[in-house]
Amino acid sequence: MTASQPPLSQASLFIPDGHHQLHLRHIHATQDGEPVLMIHGAIENGKIFYTESGKGLGCFLAEQGFDVYVADMRGRGKSTPPIAEDPNHDQNDQITRDIPMMINFIAQRTGKKVHVICHSWGGVLTASVLARYPEITEKVRSQVCFGTKRTVSAKNFERLFKVELVWKRFSPFIAKRKGYLPGRQYKIGSDDETSGSLTQSVHWVKHTPWTDLTDGFDYAAAATKTNWPPTWHIAAINDYALGHPVDIQRFIAETGDTNVLFTVLAKQNGNAMDYDHINMLTHPAAREDHFPDVVAWLKNH
């Protein structure tokens, strides 16, 4: 932040849903910016996008005049109760409750359409929302997805370790014993995950149809009829498993959206460094490298 820029304001907002309180971190420097909702991925929380000291893409966007809302999905981050106290929910709740409620809350609060920025599995959940609820899609101005894939086809050691061993085998084993996946305790993520969400995400990653295990909703069929907002998918050249560029392109094809911008962050493409799945959002170089491009994209849409 330069001396001429107004200071950032950060506050916690909560959306009640039964005994749950869904947390949004509200970050802004001005009162009338374009609203942006940021949605994290699996075994994560909203801190992938911001820090209280002003780092991260969320804070950068707020400095540029955007009205930023960073989500903590049900049970994660500052949402209550935490998963350790109530693991009885899954990604169907995120698709049918959390994300629609957050978009509606922001649209009603601001009177404007909402830009949505996602990381990893958050992009799959958001695409599922947009395919399922045309009335929600009408409230979304654009979406940017960092490292979003639904299935994994890349064949390399990192895929074998992170996806085949840790996500498909070790994580379900621990979740069955504990009643949920304590991702922070086992240092495989920055937050915990419910057994239901884990089971459903593992099922989708295995190249199974894009249908809801809870109620059978066919997202793939709905996607062919979806009026997708302008979408930018961003991959990282050193993301070998969790968001491999090939798998991101597979997901783009699965949505049926033909008007998509696709970018791979890499030195060979003019970037400052070869990024991976996490540091594409957290590396200090990103602030001067591709974060300004995100600002330009949002302003153009």
Side-chain angles (χ1 to χ4, degrees):
M1 186 186 305
T2 66
S4 61
Q5 291 175 316
L8 293 183
S9 172
Q10 291 198 31
S12 288
L13 306 176
F14 292 90
I15 304 172
D17 187 34
H19 68 285
H20 286 274
Q21 296 283 328
L22 307 179
H23 176 251
L24 290 172
R25 189 66 170 180
H26 185 208
I27 311 171
H28 63 101
T30 62
Q31 296 297 321
D32 195 35
E34 291 294 311
V36 177
L37 171 62
M38 311 189 82
I39 300 177
H40 64 79
I43 50 173
E44 277 186 344
N45 57 49
K47 284 297 187 72
I48 189 70
F49 293 115
Y50 80 99
T51 68
E52 294 180 0
S53 63
K55 297 177 182 178
L57 178 57
C59 297
F60 182 84
L61 294 179
E63 290 175 12
Q64 308 306 312
F66 290 94
D67 188 21
V68 178
Y69 299 81
V70 184
D72 282 329
M73 292 293 102
R74 187 172 303 243
R76 286 101 172 151
K78 294 185 178 182
S79 291
T80 60
I83 286 174
E85 295 179 11
D86 178 9
N88 296 315
H89 47 91
D90 55 31
Q91 69 180 24
N92 177 267
D93 291 295
Q94 297 172 60
I95 294 168
T96 63
R97 304 290 301 171
D98 297 12
I99 298 174
M101 290 177 69
M102 290 173 176
I103 292 175
N104 281 330
F105 175 85
I106 297 168
Q108 183 175 6
R109 176 186 173 96
T110 64
K112 300 176 180 179
K113 288 189 175 184
V114 182
H115 298 282
V116 181
I117 296 179
C118 310
H119 181 233
S120 195
W121 200 253
V124 177
L125 299 177
T126 299
S128 301
V129 171
L130 300 183
R132 184 166 184 147
Y133 299 112
E135 68 276 16
I136 297 295
T137 305
E138 292 176 0
K139 299 176 183 179
V140 175
R141 188 174 298 281
S142 75
Q143 62 172 341
V144 179
C145 297
F146 287 87
T148 290
K149 55 79 187 63
R150 189 182 76 83
T151 59
V152 177
S153 63
K155 293 178 172 58
N156 52 57
F157 175 78
E158 188 167 319
R159 177 259 177 94
L160 291 175
F161 178 72
K162 291 183 176 181
V163 178
E164 300 300 325
L165 179 61
V166 175
W167 194 244
K168 291 184 179 179
R169 291 172 174 79
F170 175 77
S171 295
F173 173 76
I174 295 298
K176 185 175 182 179
R177 294 184 60 193
K178 297 281 189 177
Y180 70 100
L181 176 62
R184 290 174 294 181
Q185 176 184 340
Y186 285 90
K187 301 186 186 304
I188 59 175
S190 57
D191 214 313
D192 302 332
E193 197 69 39
T194 69
S195 294
S197 289
L198 175 62
T199 297
Q200 291 162 341
S201 64
V202 167
H203 179 75
W204 275 2
V205 162
K206 291 179 178 179
H207 299 261
T208 53
W210 188 13
T211 56
D212 200 303
L213 282 179
T214 301
D215 58 20
F217 186 88
D218 190 335
Y219 297 105
T224 64
K225 306 172 186 176
T226 299
N227 184 22
W228 296 102
T231 300
W232 183 13
H233 278 274
I234 302 175
I237 191 68
N238 282 348
D239 192 346
Y240 297 113
L242 302 181
H244 193 285
V246 170
D247 291 326
I248 292 176
Q249 290 177 299
R250 286 170 60 91
F251 183 57
I252 293 171
E254 188 172 33
T255 66
D257 188 359
T258 58
N259 187 27
V260 175
L261 178 63
F262 174 69
T263 298
V264 179
L265 300 175
K267 287 183 178 180
Q268 67 189 37
N269 293 333
N271 294 106
M273 61 176 294
D274 291 331
Y275 294 93
D276 62 29
H277 192 67
I278 298 297
N279 72 13
M280 65 199 304
L281 286 171
T282 61
H283 197 283
R287 182 180 179 88
E288 303 298 329
D289 195 3
H290 51 279
F291 283 5
D293 296 329
V294 176
V295 170
W297 164 270
L298 297 178
K299 290 183 176 179
N300 286 337
H301 295 86

